[in-house]
Amino acid sequence: MNPHAKTSARSVIARTFAAMLGVAALVACAPEASAPLDPPLAGSSIGGPFELVNSAGETVRWDDFAGKYRVVYFGFAYCPDICPTDMQRIAQGMKALEERAPDLAAKVQPIFITVDPERDTPEVVGEFTSAFSDDIIGLTGTPEQVDAARDAFKVYAEKGEATPDGGYLVDHSAITYLFGPDGEPLATLPTDQPGREGAAAFAAEIEKWAS
Ligand code: NI
């Protein structure tokens, strides 16, 4: 026997109404499904032209990445904890993106820029980035070049505590930015979660804003 045969017209209407409410609730929870949101950093003045030096000692300019999405992180190679953790998560997030969306991943360039040009020579920056991924470009420069890049990207950095080995820490903002193919700021990317979930969240955020 078909149980639906017993369904009254009234309960069909009730169910249809409930289904409509359900759809309305879904739309309310996911506004991007109906109207695309602007990227959170759209229109902000973060980022801009720079002239820096890569691990091979070659000059690299912001405009050299025209046509590519860019993941940008400022830090320093001697950082004991936060920078290495963030760099590892950027590398893992990029790997997750390669698995989920290889065509998009091929258009995304991760870039590490030092805030400590005094110690982070081209060679040191290259060793640091290649410890996480050969796909990450490490950049340094003269103190003036690095200052100009920091200013353009609104990055805070200041020499901090001395360390027992005779070195020093650098206090700095640690934000991972996503920029679009014209160098326009789009969003910050999450590096707060470890493991596969964190990498998936990182990749999903790039997919969300890169179209
Ligand atoms: Ni750091």
Side-chain angles (χ1 to χ4, degrees):
M1 185 167 70
N2 179 357
H4 292 127
K6 283 201 210 160
T7 307
S8 71
R10 195 172 177 175
S11 81
V12 167
I13 290 166
R15 263 199 257 155
T16 306
F17 188 64
M20 284 168 67
L21 277 181
V23 168
L26 273 179
V27 169
C29 289
E32 68 269 30
S34 52
L37 290 174
D38 279 339
L41 297 181
S44 83
S45 58
I46 298 165
F50 61 63
E51 197 174 284
L52 294 166
V53 176
N54 69 12
S55 60
E58 299 157 340
T59 297
V60 173
R61 295 175 184 85
W62 187 227
D63 290 346
D64 293 345
F65 302 102
K68 287 228 168 191
Y69 290 90
R70 308 143 207 202
V71 171
V72 178
Y73 184 87
F74 282 73
F76 66 112
Y78 291 87
C79 180
D81 41 36
I82 296 175
C83 293
T85 302
D86 286 345
M87 290 298 285
Q88 189 185 26
R89 289 178 185 168
I90 290 169
Q92 289 167 344
M94 286 302 302
K95 212 163 191 165
L97 186 66
E98 278 161 29
E99 285 160 18
R100 294 160 64 122
D103 291 350
L104 174 57
K107 290 189 282 182
V108 181
Q109 177 60 60
I111 302 166
F112 169 85
I113 302 175
T114 187
V115 295
D116 184 17
E118 199 180 307
R119 287 181 297 184
D120 287 354
T121 61
E123 191 184 0
V124 169
V125 157
E127 278 169 17
F128 178 69
T129 54
S130 63
F132 304 99
S133 164
D134 288 335
D135 296 331
I136 300 173
I137 290 178
L139 298 176
T140 183
T142 65
E144 292 75 22
Q145 287 176 318
V146 168
D147 280 355
R150 266 179 42 198
D151 285 350
F153 286 74
K154 314 274 190 286
V155 170
Y156 160 82
E158 197 166 355
K159 203 183 261 196
E161 275 175 63
T163 52
D165 60 356
Y168 54 87
L169 298 176
V170 184
D171 300 326
H172 65 98
S173 47
I175 301 171
T176 308
Y177 288 109
L178 175 68
F179 293 87
D182 297 320
E184 73 279 23
L186 296 177
T188 60
L189 298 174
T191 55
D192 51 326
Q193 269 188 89
R196 289 187 66 86
E197 271 179 44
F202 184 97
E205 198 65 15
I206 295 180
E207 284 186 287
K208 184 172 179 181
W209 303 117
S211 51

mmCIF file of all heavy atoms in Angstrom, residues 104-144:
data_model
loop_
_atom_site.group_PDB
_atom_site.id
_atom_site.type_symbol
_atom_site.label_atom_id
_atom_site.label_comp_id
_atom_site.label_asym_id
_atom_site.label_seq_id
_atom_site.Cartn_x
_atom_site.Cartn_y
_atom_site.Cartn_z
ATOM 1 N N LEU A 104 43.194 26.269 -9.995
ATOM 2 C CA LEU A 104 43.283 27.495 -9.204
ATOM 3 C C LEU A 104 44.629 27.552 -8.480
ATOM 4 O O LEU A 104 45.301 28.584 -8.484
ATOM 5 C CB LEU A 104 42.130 27.560 -8.188
ATOM 6 C CG LEU A 104 42.173 28.717 -7.191
ATOM 7 C CD1 LEU A 104 42.224 30.069 -7.905
ATOM 8 C CD2 LEU A 104 40.985 28.659 -6.239
ATOM 9 N N ALA A 105 45.038 26.435 -7.887
ATOM 10 C CA ALA A 105 46.302 26.408 -7.134
ATOM 11 C C ALA A 105 47.469 26.858 -8.010
ATOM 12 O O ALA A 105 48.390 27.540 -7.536
ATOM 13 C CB ALA A 105 46.551 25.017 -6.568
ATOM 14 N N ALA A 106 47.419 26.491 -9.290
ATOM 15 C CA ALA A 106 48.502 26.863 -10.207
ATOM 16 C C ALA A 106 48.567 28.371 -10.415
ATOM 17 O O ALA A 106 49.582 28.896 -10.868
ATOM 18 C CB ALA A 106 48.318 26.149 -11.545
ATOM 19 N N LYS A 107 47.480 29.063 -10.074
ATOM 20 C CA LYS A 107 47.444 30.522 -10.254
ATOM 21 C C LYS A 107 47.693 31.271 -8.951
ATOM 22 O O LYS A 107 47.488 32.473 -8.882
ATOM 23 C CB LYS A 107 46.074 30.946 -10.818
ATOM 24 C CG LYS A 107 45.857 30.510 -12.256
ATOM 25 C CD LYS A 107 44.603 31.140 -12.843
ATOM 26 C CE LYS A 107 43.363 30.438 -12.368
ATOM 27 N NZ LYS A 107 42.122 30.989 -12.947
ATOM 28 N N VAL A 108 48.088 30.549 -7.891
ATOM 29 C CA VAL A 108 48.311 31.184 -6.587
ATOM 30 C C VAL A 108 49.798 31.118 -6.226
ATOM 31 O O VAL A 108 50.374 30.030 -6.196
ATOM 32 C CB VAL A 108 47.480 30.505 -5.477
ATOM 33 C CG1 VAL A 108 47.705 31.209 -4.141
ATOM 34 C CG2 VAL A 108 45.992 30.510 -5.829
ATOM 35 N N GLN A 109 50.400 32.254 -5.953
ATOM 36 C CA GLN A 109 51.815 32.306 -5.591
ATOM 37 C C GLN A 109 51.990 32.693 -4.126
ATOM 38 O O GLN A 109 51.683 33.829 -3.753
ATOM 39 C CB GLN A 109 52.538 33.316 -6.483
ATOM 40 C CG GLN A 109 54.006 33.492 -6.122
ATOM 41 C CD GLN A 109 54.783 32.184 -6.245
ATOM 42 O OE1 GLN A 109 54.840 31.605 -7.314
ATOM 43 N NE2 GLN A 109 55.353 31.702 -5.141
ATOM 44 N N PRO A 110 52.450 31.779 -3.286
ATOM 45 C CA PRO A 110 52.761 32.162 -1.896
ATOM 46 C C PRO A 110 54.105 32.895 -1.818
ATOM 47 O O PRO A 110 55.080 32.484 -2.443
ATOM 48 C CB PRO A 110 52.822 30.825 -1.146
ATOM 49 C CG PRO A 110 52.636 29.752 -2.158
ATOM 50 C CD PRO A 110 52.650 30.355 -3.515
ATOM 51 N N ILE A 111 54.109 33.982 -1.035
ATOM 52 C CA ILE A 111 55.295 34.839 -0.930
ATOM 53 C C ILE A 111 55.580 35.129 0.543
ATOM 54 O O ILE A 111 54.684 35.545 1.283
ATOM 55 C CB ILE A 111 55.060 36.187 -1.666
ATOM 56 C CG1 ILE A 111 54.729 35.951 -3.139
ATOM 57 C CG2 ILE A 111 56.276 37.097 -1.525
ATOM 58 C CD1 ILE A 111 54.156 37.197 -3.844
ATOM 59 N N PHE A 112 56.826 34.892 0.953
ATOM 60 C CA PHE A 112 57.275 35.255 2.303
ATOM 61 C C PHE A 112 58.177 36.477 2.174
ATOM 62 O O PHE A 112 59.118 36.477 1.378
ATOM 63 C CB PHE A 112 58.042 34.088 2.939
ATOM 64 C CG PHE A 112 58.758 34.451 4.208
ATOM 65 C CD1 PHE A 112 58.093 34.428 5.428
ATOM 66 C CD2 PHE A 112 60.104 34.823 4.195
ATOM 67 C CE1 PHE A 112 58.758 34.771 6.609
ATOM 68 C CE2 PHE A 112 60.766 35.164 5.371
ATOM 69 C CZ PHE A 112 60.084 35.133 6.575
ATOM 70 N N ILE A 113 57.902 37.508 2.971
ATOM 71 C CA ILE A 113 58.743 38.711 2.953
ATOM 72 C C ILE A 113 59.302 38.922 4.349
ATOM 73 O O ILE A 113 58.553 38.943 5.338
ATOM 74 C CB ILE A 113 57.941 39.951 2.510
ATOM 75 C CG1 ILE A 113 57.323 39.730 1.117
ATOM 76 C CG2 ILE A 113 58.848 41.199 2.496
ATOM 77 C CD1 ILE A 113 56.403 40.863 0.647
ATOM 78 N N THR A 114 60.610 39.082 4.433
ATOM 79 C CA THR A 114 61.214 39.234 5.758
ATOM 80 C C THR A 114 60.973 40.625 6.331
ATOM 81 O O THR A 114 60.832 41.600 5.588
ATOM 82 C CB THR A 114 62.729 38.966 5.726
ATOM 83 O OG1 THR A 114 63.214 38.963 7.092
ATOM 84 C CG2 THR A 114 63.476 40.047 4.955
ATOM 85 N N VAL A 115 60.908 40.685 7.675
ATOM 86 C CA VAL A 115 60.899 41.967 8.376
ATOM 87 C C VAL A 115 62.258 42.198 9.040
ATOM 88 O O VAL A 115 62.430 43.127 9.810
ATOM 89 C CB VAL A 115 59.772 42.037 9.443
ATOM 90 C CG1 VAL A 115 58.399 41.994 8.782
ATOM 91 C CG2 VAL A 115 59.905 40.912 10.478
ATOM 92 N N ASP A 116 63.216 41.324 8.736
ATOM 93 C CA ASP A 116 64.527 41.336 9.399
ATOM 94 C C ASP A 116 65.644 41.230 8.353
ATOM 95 O O ASP A 116 66.399 40.256 8.327
ATOM 96 C CB ASP A 116 64.587 40.135 10.372
ATOM 97 C CG ASP A 116 65.858 40.094 11.199
ATOM 98 O OD1 ASP A 116 66.571 41.112 11.289
ATOM 99 O OD2 ASP A 116 66.142 39.010 11.751
ATOM 100 N N PRO A 117 65.757 42.265 7.502
ATOM 101 C CA PRO A 117 66.728 42.162 6.405
ATOM 102 C C PRO A 117 68.172 42.082 6.894
ATOM 103 O O PRO A 117 69.044 41.589 6.180
ATOM 104 C CB PRO A 117 66.489 43.447 5.595
ATOM 105 C CG PRO A 117 65.833 44.392 6.545
ATOM 106 C CD PRO A 117 65.038 43.553 7.490
ATOM 107 N N GLU A 118 68.404 42.544 8.128
ATOM 108 C CA GLU A 118 69.752 42.524 8.693
ATOM 109 C C GLU A 118 70.315 41.089 8.723
ATOM 110 O O GLU A 118 71.450 40.846 8.349
ATOM 111 C CB GLU A 118 69.643 43.072 10.119
ATOM 112 C CG GLU A 118 70.915 43.563 10.740
ATOM 113 C CD GLU A 118 70.620 44.074 12.164
ATOM 114 O OE1 GLU A 118 69.711 44.922 12.320
ATOM 115 O OE2 GLU A 118 71.284 43.591 13.093
ATOM 116 N N ARG A 119 69.482 40.143 9.164
ATOM 117 C CA ARG A 119 69.959 38.748 9.242
ATOM 118 C C ARG A 119 69.465 37.897 8.071
ATOM 119 O O ARG A 119 70.100 36.905 7.709
ATOM 120 C CB ARG A 119 69.490 38.099 10.558
ATOM 121 C CG ARG A 119 70.234 38.601 11.766
ATOM 122 C CD ARG A 119 69.750 37.911 13.022
ATOM 123 N NE ARG A 119 68.341 38.195 13.294
ATOM 124 C CZ ARG A 119 67.687 37.781 14.381
ATOM 125 N NH1 ARG A 119 68.330 37.048 15.282
ATOM 126 N NH2 ARG A 119 66.418 38.079 14.563
ATOM 127 N N ASP A 120 68.279 38.240 7.546
ATOM 128 C CA ASP A 120 67.706 37.404 6.490
ATOM 129 C C ASP A 120 68.250 37.806 5.117
ATOM 130 O O ASP A 120 67.627 38.532 4.348
ATOM 131 C CB ASP A 120 66.176 37.495 6.508
ATOM 132 C CG ASP A 120 65.573 36.743 7.691
ATOM 133 O OD1 ASP A 120 66.344 36.071 8.423
ATOM 134 O OD2 ASP A 120 64.350 36.826 7.885
ATOM 135 N N THR A 121 69.452 37.297 4.838
ATOM 136 C CA THR A 121 70.053 37.497 3.520
ATOM 137 C C THR A 121 69.250 36.687 2.499
ATOM 138 O O THR A 121 68.433 35.833 2.878
ATOM 139 C CB THR A 121 71.499 36.976 3.535
ATOM 140 O OG1 THR A 121 71.444 35.563 3.833
ATOM 141 C CG2 THR A 121 72.341 37.679 4.595
ATOM 142 N N PRO A 122 69.479 36.915 1.210
ATOM 143 C CA PRO A 122 68.794 36.092 0.207
ATOM 144 C C PRO A 122 68.967 34.597 0.479
ATOM 145 O O PRO A 122 67.999 33.834 0.384
ATOM 146 C CB PRO A 122 69.475 36.510 -1.105
ATOM 147 C CG PRO A 122 69.853 37.947 -0.874
ATOM 148 C CD PRO A 122 70.254 38.012 0.578
ATOM 149 N N GLU A 123 70.150 34.201 0.854
ATOM 150 C CA GLU A 123 70.409 32.785 1.105
ATOM 151 C C GLU A 123 69.595 32.264 2.299
ATOM 152 O O GLU A 123 68.991 31.190 2.240
ATOM 153 C CB GLU A 123 71.910 32.599 1.366
ATOM 154 C CG GLU A 123 72.329 31.152 1.365
ATOM 155 C CD GLU A 123 73.805 30.980 1.721
ATOM 156 O OE1 GLU A 123 74.487 31.997 1.975
ATOM 157 O OE2 GLU A 123 74.249 29.821 1.750
ATOM 158 N N VAL A 124 69.578 33.041 3.387
ATOM 159 C CA VAL A 124 68.837 32.623 4.591
ATOM 160 C C VAL A 124 67.336 32.525 4.292
ATOM 161 O O VAL A 124 66.670 31.570 4.681
ATOM 162 C CB VAL A 124 69.107 33.610 5.762
ATOM 163 C CG1 VAL A 124 68.157 33.353 6.923
ATOM 164 C CG2 VAL A 124 70.557 33.503 6.233
ATOM 165 N N VAL A 125 66.812 33.504 3.568
ATOM 166 C CA VAL A 125 65.390 33.497 3.213
ATOM 167 C C VAL A 125 65.058 32.278 2.348
ATOM 168 O O VAL A 125 64.022 31.631 2.521
ATOM 169 C CB VAL A 125 65.028 34.830 2.499
ATOM 170 C CG1 VAL A 125 63.796 34.680 1.647
ATOM 171 C CG2 VAL A 125 64.801 35.924 3.527
ATOM 172 N N GLY A 126 65.972 31.962 1.429
ATOM 173 C CA GLY A 126 65.755 30.801 0.554
ATOM 174 C C GLY A 126 65.750 29.498 1.330
ATOM 175 O O GLY A 126 64.903 28.623 1.097
ATOM 176 N N GLU A 127 66.685 29.381 2.273
ATOM 177 C CA GLU A 127 66.724 28.161 3.105
ATOM 178 C C GLU A 127 65.459 28.048 3.953
ATOM 179 O O GLU A 127 64.906 26.967 4.121
ATOM 180 C CB GLU A 127 67.939 28.193 4.044
ATOM 181 C CG GLU A 127 69.223 27.754 3.374
ATOM 182 C CD GLU A 127 70.442 28.042 4.246
ATOM 183 O OE1 GLU A 127 70.272 28.272 5.471
ATOM 184 O OE2 GLU A 127 71.553 28.072 3.689
ATOM 185 N N PHE A 128 65.016 29.179 4.481
ATOM 186 C CA PHE A 128 63.829 29.191 5.338
ATOM 187 C C PHE A 128 62.595 28.745 4.557
ATOM 188 O O PHE A 128 61.882 27.830 4.980
ATOM 189 C CB PHE A 128 63.627 30.596 5.916
ATOM 190 C CG PHE A 128 62.409 30.744 6.776
ATOM 191 C CD1 PHE A 128 62.332 30.125 8.023
ATOM 192 C CD2 PHE A 128 61.337 31.509 6.354
ATOM 193 C CE1 PHE A 128 61.199 30.262 8.819
ATOM 194 C CE2 PHE A 128 60.206 31.661 7.142
ATOM 195 C CZ PHE A 128 60.143 31.022 8.375
ATOM 196 N N THR A 129 62.351 29.360 3.410
ATOM 197 C CA THR A 129 61.119 29.020 2.668
ATOM 198 C C THR A 129 61.171 27.598 2.125
ATOM 199 O O THR A 129 60.161 26.893 2.145
ATOM 200 C CB THR A 129 60.857 30.007 1.506
ATOM 201 O OG1 THR A 129 62.012 30.064 0.681
ATOM 202 C CG2 THR A 129 60.520 31.387 2.026
ATOM 203 N N SER A 130 62.344 27.158 1.671
ATOM 204 C CA SER A 130 62.401 25.820 1.069
ATOM 205 C C SER A 130 62.252 24.727 2.121
ATOM 206 O O SER A 130 61.991 23.571 1.791
ATOM 207 C CB SER A 130 63.673 25.627 0.237
ATOM 208 O OG SER A 130 64.804 25.721 1.066
ATOM 209 N N ALA A 131 62.392 25.099 3.400
ATOM 210 C CA ALA A 131 62.135 24.116 4.463
ATOM 211 C C ALA A 131 60.649 23.756 4.517
ATOM 212 O O ALA A 131 60.273 22.705 5.046
ATOM 213 C CB ALA A 131 62.587 24.672 5.811
ATOM 214 N N PHE A 132 59.798 24.615 3.961
ATOM 215 C CA PHE A 132 58.353 24.371 3.995
ATOM 216 C C PHE A 132 57.813 23.949 2.632
ATOM 217 O O PHE A 132 56.990 23.044 2.538
ATOM 218 C CB PHE A 132 57.619 25.630 4.492
ATOM 219 C CG PHE A 132 58.121 26.093 5.822
ATOM 220 C CD1 PHE A 132 59.021 27.130 5.930
ATOM 221 C CD2 PHE A 132 57.712 25.433 6.982
ATOM 222 C CE1 PHE A 132 59.525 27.530 7.159
ATOM 223 C CE2 PHE A 132 58.198 25.827 8.220
ATOM 224 C CZ PHE A 132 59.110 26.877 8.305
ATOM 225 N N SER A 133 58.268 24.615 1.581
ATOM 226 C CA SER A 133 57.788 24.287 0.234
ATOM 227 C C SER A 133 58.674 24.982 -0.788
ATOM 228 O O SER A 133 59.039 26.151 -0.608
ATOM 229 C CB SER A 133 56.345 24.754 0.060
ATOM 230 O OG SER A 133 56.001 24.787 -1.310
ATOM 231 N N ASP A 134 58.984 24.283 -1.856
ATOM 232 C CA ASP A 134 59.756 24.909 -2.936
ATOM 233 C C ASP A 134 58.910 25.900 -3.716
ATOM 234 O O ASP A 134 59.437 26.659 -4.537
ATOM 235 C CB ASP A 134 60.302 23.833 -3.885
ATOM 236 C CG ASP A 134 61.433 23.050 -3.232
ATOM 237 O OD1 ASP A 134 62.092 23.607 -2.322
ATOM 238 O OD2 ASP A 134 61.641 21.885 -3.616
ATOM 239 N N ASP A 135 57.608 25.894 -3.484
ATOM 240 C CA ASP A 135 56.722 26.801 -4.226
ATOM 241 C C ASP A 135 56.620 28.179 -3.591
ATOM 242 O O ASP A 135 56.050 29.093 -4.180
ATOM 243 C CB ASP A 135 55.305 26.205 -4.327
ATOM 244 C CG ASP A 135 55.316 24.919 -5.137
ATOM 245 O OD1 ASP A 135 56.178 24.786 -6.028
ATOM 246 O OD2 ASP A 135 54.471 24.050 -4.871
ATOM 247 N N ILE A 136 57.125 28.317 -2.354
ATOM 248 C CA ILE A 136 57.047 29.625 -1.688
ATOM 249 C C ILE A 136 58.256 30.468 -2.087
ATOM 250 O O ILE A 136 59.392 30.008 -1.992
ATOM 251 C CB ILE A 136 57.006 29.463 -0.148
ATOM 252 C CG1 ILE A 136 55.784 28.625 0.268
ATOM 253 C CG2 ILE A 136 56.979 30.839 0.527
ATOM 254 C CD1 ILE A 136 55.748 28.279 1.752
ATOM 255 N N ILE A 137 57.989 31.689 -2.529
ATOM 256 C CA ILE A 137 59.072 32.611 -2.877
ATOM 257 C C ILE A 137 59.422 33.424 -1.639
ATOM 258 O O ILE A 137 58.536 34.014 -1.009
ATOM 259 C CB ILE A 137 58.641 33.544 -4.033
ATOM 260 C CG1 ILE A 137 58.537 32.726 -5.328
ATOM 261 C CG2 ILE A 137 59.619 34.704 -4.192
ATOM 262 C CD1 ILE A 137 58.076 33.545 -6.532
ATOM 263 N N GLY A 138 60.700 33.451 -1.271
ATOM 264 C CA GLY A 138 61.164 34.233 -0.134
ATOM 265 C C GLY A 138 61.823 35.508 -0.623
ATOM 266 O O GLY A 138 62.626 35.484 -1.554
ATOM 267 N N LEU A 139 61.465 36.621 0.004
ATOM 268 C CA LEU A 139 62.007 37.914 -0.435
ATOM 269 C C LEU A 139 62.635 38.680 0.727
ATOM 270 O O LEU A 139 62.125 38.674 1.849
ATOM 271 C CB LEU A 139 60.899 38.770 -1.061
ATOM 272 C CG LEU A 139 60.228 38.200 -2.327
ATOM 273 C CD1 LEU A 139 59.083 39.116 -2.765
ATOM 274 C CD2 LEU A 139 61.237 38.000 -3.450
ATOM 275 N N THR A 140 63.736 39.350 0.428
ATOM 276 C CA THR A 140 64.378 40.249 1.363
ATOM 277 C C THR A 140 64.814 41.487 0.572
ATOM 278 O O THR A 140 64.275 41.716 -0.514
ATOM 279 C CB THR A 140 65.552 39.567 2.089
ATOM 280 O OG1 THR A 140 66.108 40.475 3.040
ATOM 281 C CG2 THR A 140 66.637 39.081 1.132
ATOM 282 N N GLY A 141 65.741 42.239 1.099
ATOM 283 C CA GLY A 141 66.188 43.438 0.384
ATOM 284 C C GLY A 141 67.008 44.291 1.311
ATOM 285 O O GLY A 141 67.369 43.866 2.414
ATOM 286 N N THR A 142 67.295 45.507 0.886
ATOM 287 C CA THR A 142 67.960 46.454 1.774
ATOM 288 C C THR A 142 66.939 46.855 2.845
ATOM 289 O O THR A 142 65.726 46.708 2.637
ATOM 290 C CB THR A 142 68.399 47.719 1.016
ATOM 291 O OG1 THR A 142 67.215 48.390 0.558
ATOM 292 C CG2 THR A 142 69.294 47.387 -0.173
ATOM 293 N N PRO A 143 67.416 47.365 3.996
ATOM 294 C CA PRO A 143 66.462 47.840 5.006
ATOM 295 C C PRO A 143 65.454 48.828 4.427
ATOM 296 O O PRO A 143 64.277 48.800 4.783
ATOM 297 C CB PRO A 143 67.357 48.492 6.053
ATOM 298 C CG PRO A 143 68.662 47.767 5.937
ATOM 299 C CD PRO A 143 68.811 47.443 4.471
ATOM 300 N N GLU A 144 65.888 49.684 3.518
ATOM 301 C CA GLU A 144 64.985 50.680 2.917
ATOM 302 C C GLU A 144 63.922 49.985 2.060
ATOM 303 O O GLU A 144 62.748 50.336 2.112
ATOM 304 C CB GLU A 144 65.776 51.680 2.049
ATOM 305 C CG GLU A 144 66.699 52.602 2.838
ATOM 306 C CD GLU A 144 67.970 51.897 3.348
ATOM 307 O OE1 GLU A 144 68.367 50.850 2.773
ATOM 308 O OE2 GLU A 144 68.540 52.380 4.343
#
